[in-house]
Structures are given as C-alpha cells and as structure tokens.
C-alpha cells in the first residue's frame, strides 16, 4: 500500500526545519551584535536656587518656579534669614553645599548681595543671575550701593522696630516698608489688592544685614546675568547698570517695578534659562 504524499514528506520537512533553526540560532543579526538598545539619556539640568531679599519672602518666586519646573529644572527657594550679611551668605552657602551637582544661583534685591558672597569658592555654581538685585564688590554694603545713585525712595518709606538679640547686648533693628507706601515704592505695577497682602506679610530686613560689607565677589570668577527693572524705586536702575557693567554681566532691561520676578515671571525664567544654555 502506498503512503500518501503528505505523510511521506513530513519527516523530510521536519528535518529541514531543524537544520534551518540550528543555522539561525548560530547566526547573529546586525542589531543583536550591537547589544541591547540604549535609551538616550538626557543631561540633568542644574538645580536653580532662588534667594529672596528684604521686605519679601520666597513666595515671590512662585510663578517663576512654575515656569522653571515646567522646563525641567529642579528648583529650591530657601528662606533667606535676613539677619546679618555674613550669616545670611553662610546659610545660603550651606544650601548650595547640599547639592552635589551643578547649581544656578539667582536672586532678587538684597538676595543678590547674599549670593555674591555665598557662591565664593563653590565650583558647582555655574552662573549667577541678578534680578533687580545688588551685586556688591568687596567692602560694599547694600545700603551704600542703594544710596550711591539717585532715585531710590526706600529710605523715606522705612519704619524701624527693635528686636532682641540672643545673648543680650544691644538690640537689633528691623526695617519695614510703611504699608501706606509699599505699593508705590516696592511693587507699583501689581494690583493694590495684592500689595496690601504683601505689605502685611513682608519679612523685615535688619539694618545690620543691609549695612554689612561684602567679601570678595563671586562674580569675578563666575559668569553672571542681570535683569534690570527700569522703573525700580528701591535700587535705582543706574546703580544696577553700574553693578552689571562692573561684573561683566549679560544684561536684559524690562519696564517693571522692583519686584520684576512677580510682575514678569516669564522674563525672570527666561534669563535663568539663558544662563543655563550658555554654561551647560
């Protein structure tokens, strides 16, 4: 009896498939020879440390922080002690020390004085960004620089109150902006409803801190950027231009009150991103 053709062919087909399979297993495809596909690793962005000044707090950076976080930057805005120049700088230097990777230090107002001193000796600080801020040279104070050029209305708007210093001795002196003058001097381009709240929650700056002298400035060794609000009535724009030119900063000017990071958070975030792009 003859075996049907399909049954006679089955052993031959099975043997052929085994031979082909063995040959395929011994072969290496071009893709396999390159090993597993590696996903592209994105370069981590530096941590942006935002430092506020006197008569404000870290919440003034809220909108700027949101924009930076959306762009993928890790951000921290610590509370500046606002007690004394050397101590404030040491505190922010400690914050910088807590990050092993690269850092961009950005600041507003008296915060600029702080970062100028806090960044000294920190190789991981890649850029300094000043926004309506002080960039002092060695031996200069914030009050000295504010009074060096005409246009500041801060002095006439200040109210002082004493506070006890731990350990006894002479009390310290805090400076507040008179709530009745807060909006016109500090934040004229913000709604009155908001500036009333800001005046009530303002953190005072100690006279000791604002009059303290700075050390060797970090801007001599670290590249800097400067956002100058041209309607600033706290730090005269002429003073800011002087400091920016001296530091060799990359300058952007914008029509704004002193609180440029609140009235123009897009401009504040943009200049920080520019600093990152130039130093990456």
């Amino acid at each position: 009896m003859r075996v049907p053709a399909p049954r006679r062919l089955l052993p031959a087909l099975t043997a052929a498939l085994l031979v082909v399979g063995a040959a395929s297993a011994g072969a290496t495809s071009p893709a396999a020879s390159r090993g597993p596909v590696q996903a592209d690793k994105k370069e981590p962005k530096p941590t942006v440390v935002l430092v506020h000044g006197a008569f404000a707090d870290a919440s003034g950076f809220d909108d700027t922080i949101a924009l930076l976080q959306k762009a993928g930057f890790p951000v921290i805005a610590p509370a500046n002690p606002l007690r004394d120049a050397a101590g404030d700088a040491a505190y922010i230097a400690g914050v910088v020390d807590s990050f092993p990777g690269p850092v961009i230090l950005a600041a507003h107002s008296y915060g600029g004085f702080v970062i100028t001193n806090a960044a000294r000796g920190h190789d991981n600080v890649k850029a300094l960004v000043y926004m309506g801020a002080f960039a002092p040279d060695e031996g200069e104070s914030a009050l000295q620089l504010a009074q060096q050029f005409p246009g500041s209305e801060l002095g006439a708007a200040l109210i002082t109150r004493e506070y006890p210093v731990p350990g006894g001795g002479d009390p310290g002196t805090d400076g507040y902006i008179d709530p009745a003058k807060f909006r016109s001097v500090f934040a004229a381009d913000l709604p009155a409803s908001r500036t009333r709240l800001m005046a009530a929650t303002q953190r005072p700056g100690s006279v000791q801190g604002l009059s303290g002298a700075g050390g060797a400035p970090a801007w001599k060794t670290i590249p800097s950027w400067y956002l100058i609000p041209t309607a600033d009535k706290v730090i005269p724009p002429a003073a800011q231009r002087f400091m920016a030119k001296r530091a060799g900063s990359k300058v952007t000017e914008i029509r704004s009150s002193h609180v440029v990071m609140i009235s123009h958070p897009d401009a504040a975030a943009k200049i920080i991103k520019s600093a990152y792009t130039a130093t990456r």
Side-chain angles (χ1 to χ4, degrees):
M1 184 177 67
R2 289 195 303 170
V3 178
R7 294 181 62 183
R8 292 201 304 269
L9 291 175
L10 184 59
L13 288 173
T14 301
L17 289 172
L18 288 173
V19 171
V20 171
S24 299
T28 303
S29 70
S33 67
R34 292 195 297 267
V37 176
Q38 297 292 329
D40 291 336
K41 292 184 178 180
K42 291 184 178 180
E43 178 188 0
K45 288 184 168 65
T47 299
V48 179
V49 179
L50 297 165
V51 182
H52 67 84
F55 323 116
D57 61 26
S59 68
F61 291 116
D62 282 356
D63 292 339
T64 303
I65 290 171
L67 292 171
L68 291 172
Q69 289 178 334
K70 185 177 181 180
F73 289 90
V75 185
I76 183 173
N80 186 355
L82 303 178
R83 293 297 84 190
D84 69 89
D88 296 343
Y91 176 78
I92 296 301
V95 174
V96 173
D97 284 336
S98 70
F99 295 100
V103 166
I104 292 176
L105 270 174
H108 175 246
S109 198
Y110 168 71
F113 182 99
V114 174
I115 68 169
T116 298
N117 289 276
R120 187 171 52 245
H122 287 80
D123 293 338
N124 64 325
V125 177
K126 302 305 179 183
L128 301 171
V129 179
Y130 298 93
M131 299 179 285
F134 292 106
D137 202 345
E138 188 168 4
E140 295 177 339
S141 72
L143 285 178
Q144 173 189 345
L145 287 164
Q147 296 167 358
Q148 189 171 331
F149 294 84
S152 177
E153 298 180 9
L154 178 62
L158 285 180
I159 298 172
T160 59
R161 297 187 178 99
E162 291 186 346
Y163 64 90
V165 175
D170 295 334
T173 304
D174 267 337
Y176 295 79
I177 297 179
D178 182 346
K181 300 176 180 178
F182 189 93
R183 182 170 185 265
S184 63
V185 172
F186 199 68
D189 52 0
L190 296 182
S193 58
R194 182 166 186 180
T195 57
R196 282 194 295 270
L197 295 174
M198 290 169 63
T201 60
Q202 66 177 295
R203 291 188 57 204
S206 74
V207 173
Q208 288 79 1
L210 295 172
S211 59
W219 47 254
K220 286 191 174 182
T221 57
I222 300 173
S224 59
W225 281 255
Y226 221 116
L227 180 59
I228 300 176
T230 59
D232 196 331
K233 295 180 181 179
V234 175
I235 307 174
Q240 296 183 51
R241 293 185 186 109
F242 164 76
M243 291 183 282
K245 182 178 180 180
R246 181 175 63 181
S249 305
K250 288 79 173 173
V251 176
T252 300
E253 296 198 2
I254 188 168
R255 179 73 180 175
S256 172
S257 70
H258 182 58
V259 290
V260 62
M261 74 291 191
I262 299 178
S263 28
H264 298 280
D266 51 341
K270 183 178 180 180
I271 199 166
I272 292 170
K273 292 175 187 176
S274 296
Y276 162 66
T277 301
T279 57
R280 58 187 301 184

